[in-house]
Amino acid sequence: MIMIRILIIDDHPIVLEGSKILFDDVTQIDVDTENDVQNVKKRILKKSYDIYLVDINMPKQNGIE
C-alpha cells in the first residue's frame, strides 16, 4: 500500500482541522498540520512529505517564501 504524506500549513486552526478531516477516511493518506510558518523548516527536515498545502497569506512570512 502506498502512503501519501501531506503537510497542511495555515495560521487558522479551523482551516487546518477542516482540511485534515477531508482526508480522514482515506487510509493511504497521512496528514500533518502546522500553524506556524517558522516551524515548517524544522518539520520537513524531520519528515518528508509528498504534498504541501500552503496558505499564502500568513503572518511573519507568506506561504510563497
Side-chain angles (χ1 to χ4, degrees), residues 42-64:
K42 293 178 208 170
R43 187 180 277 267
I44 62 175
L45 289 173
K46 291 180 182 177
K47 182 177 179 180
S48 64
Y49 294 92
D50 302 302
I51 300 171
Y52 299 90
L53 300 177
V54 183
D55 178 2
I56 60 170
N57 294 311
M58 293 185 63
K60 301 179 189 172
Q61 183 176 5
N62 71 49
I64 295 171

Side-chain angles (χ1 to χ4, degrees), residues 4-63:
I4 299 171
R5 292 173 305 272
I6 299 175
L7 178 60
I8 304 172
I9 306 160
D10 199 301
D11 58 321
H12 296 95
I14 292 173
V15 173
L16 286 176
E17 283 306 308
S19 299
K20 187 174 182 176
I21 288 171
L22 292 173
F23 300 103
D24 276 353
D25 293 336
V26 184
T27 58
Q28 299 90 346
I29 296 179
D30 177 36
V31 179
D32 290 331
T33 61
E34 180 57 61
N35 67 351
D36 187 344
V37 71
Q38 296 191 352
N39 291 334
V40 173
K41 285 184 183 180
K42 293 178 208 170
R43 187 180 277 267
I44 62 175
L45 289 173
K46 291 180 182 177
K47 182 177 179 180
S48 64
Y49 294 92
D50 302 302
I51 300 171
Y52 299 90
L53 300 177
V54 183
D55 178 2
I56 60 170
N57 294 311
M58 293 185 63
K60 301 179 189 172
Q61 183 176 5
N62 71 49

